[in-house]
Amino acid sequence: MSYAIVGFGKIGQALARAFARKNIEVAVASRRTPEALAPQARAIGPTVVAKSLRDALEADTIILAVPFGEHREVAKILPSWKGKTVIDAMNALVPLEELDGLLSSAFAAKAFTGAKFVKGFNHLIAATLAADPIVQGGGHRVVFLSSDDEDAIAPVAALAKQLGFAPVKLGKLKEGGALVHARGRTWGQLIFQDLFKKEQ
């Protein structure tokens, strides 16, 4: 399984740290050139590899950590997303009317035709996400996952565990997923809730 993080701002870098901590190779890409990202990527760890956007999208699993307005640009790069898992770590601070009344993940999913689309890793601030998810006493930091495709959640939950997090499935985007969505200026009840579980 190969992984890429698209977007190398605070959230993208926080996620890259999680991969580096476990020595899991991950490609990182943004609108900036790989050469521009490379020093920062190397500083995080040897398994974090700066690539061009097109090369990064060859990965099996792609984490979207771009500003919400840029997801369509990323989606256009591939003619089909079949066989790919896309993890949506974005938060949209736009009114629901601008999203056709849909939650931001359901709206973004429409752009990634054929992909298995999972909302995840979006409810924590970057500094918390970058910190070691395993705390004294053996607790694992919780990440919430939701998707309209039940099969899509399992591999993402497995990745979350590999990174040291405790995945908690919230079901479909419209139901449980609404708890971790920003809706305009209103935040879902689980956003910023920094929770731990004893077992993964």
Side-chain angles (χ1 to χ4, degrees), residues 23-170:
N23 289 316
I24 300 168
E25 187 165 311
V26 65
V28 293
S30 79
R31 282 185 305 190
R32 286 155 53 209
T33 64
E35 293 72 30
L37 299 181
Q40 232 171 344
R42 274 197 301 270
I44 292 173
T47 59
V48 180
V49 184
K51 291 191 175 179
S52 71
L53 206 43
R54 190 170 284 283
D55 287 348
L57 294 181
E58 287 178 12
D60 307 309
T61 299
I62 291 132
I63 305 176
L64 284 181
V66 294
F68 185 78
E70 290 175 24
H71 75 271
R72 284 195 194 90
E73 296 308 306
V74 177
K76 281 180 198 155
I77 296 170
L78 294 184
S80 164
W81 288 78
K82 206 166 172 45
K84 305 268 183 205
T85 297
V86 175
I87 303 171
D88 173 13
M90 304 178 295
N91 283 312
L93 303 178
V94 293
L96 276 184
E97 304 75 76
E98 285 181 36
L99 302 175
D100 306 334
L102 295 169
L103 291 173
S104 64
S105 277
F107 184 83
K110 293 195 300 185
F112 294 86
T113 319
K116 291 185 166 182
F117 202 88
V118 180
K119 181 82 173 171
F121 296 99
N122 70 297
H123 85 284
L124 296 168
I125 59 168
T128 306
L129 199 56
D132 192 333
I134 303 167
V135 289
Q136 287 170 331
H140 295 261
R141 178 168 277 120
V142 166
V143 291
F144 296 110
L145 305 176
S146 54
S147 177
D148 289 343
D149 178 349
E150 196 50 48
D151 299 340
I153 292 185
V156 178
L159 170 64
K161 280 187 178 180
Q162 233 185 319
L163 296 175
F165 293 94
V168 171
K169 298 174 189 176
L170 294 180

